Amino acid sequence: MQSYTIGQAARLLGVSPDTARRWADAGRVATHRDEGGRRLIDGRDLAAFSVEVAQSGAGDEDVSYTSARNAFAGIVTAVKLGDVAAQVEIQAGPHRLVSLLTREAVEELGLEVGVQATARVKSTSVHIDRA
């Protein structure tokens, strides 16, 4: 499972590293240390926390609004696989994006809850890039 540094988590949550650090210090999101002593957040924990933050509006300190043609870097919070099609949800700061794509594409990209990904939006199409 992918883990994220406090700085990476902050970017995905749309907050400053200081805010992410305070949340971790307060126990709002679990962390563990790597061999080098850096605090890391498990991808699944960060995915769940990103949904919580978005629903509470707590990450609105430095939100930048962009046109629909832009890229939204975030974390995969849900993947629903069908026989042929799939649905992928990404939480990108305060933005929740849902994309319908083929099951094959999801498998090739290795998309699963906790993985960092980017949703690229153009008109009514959303394309997912694995980070």
Side-chain angles (χ1 to χ4, degrees), residues 22-92:
R22 280 193 300 274
W23 287 343
D25 290 345
R28 289 190 59 194
V29 63
T31 63
H32 62 277
R33 298 219 181 245
D34 68 3
E35 306 81 36
R38 295 182 311 166
R39 285 198 306 183
L40 301 175
I41 301 171
D42 178 74
R44 288 191 184 276
D45 292 339
L46 183 58
F49 184 66
S50 70
V51 172
E52 177 188 322
V53 168
Q55 290 173 345
S56 71
D60 293 340
E61 68 179 41
D62 291 319
V63 174
S64 62
Y65 296 96
T66 60
S67 74
R69 292 182 298 228
N70 289 312
F72 294 86
I75 188 166
V76 176
T77 57
V79 176
K80 296 176 186 166
L81 295 174
D83 291 337
V84 176
Q87 178 179 311
V88 176
E89 291 184 27
I90 292 178
Q91 192 70 46

Side-chain angles (χ1 to χ4, degrees), residues 1-5 8 12 32 40-46 74-75 110 112-117 130-131:
M1 169 52 54
Q2 186 167 351
S3 293
Y4 297 88
T5 65
Q8 291 170 323
L12 293 170
H32 62 277
L40 301 175
I41 301 171
D42 178 74
R44 288 191 184 276
D45 292 339
L46 183 58
I75 188 166
E112 60 183 31
V113 173
V115 169
Q116 184 176 349
R130 170 108 187 242

Side-chain angles (χ1 to χ4, degrees), residues 5-22:
T5 65
I6 295 290
Q8 291 170 323
R11 280 190 297 283
L12 293 170
L13 294 167
V15 299
S16 71
D18 285 337
T19 297
R21 197 171 294 107
R22 280 193 300 274

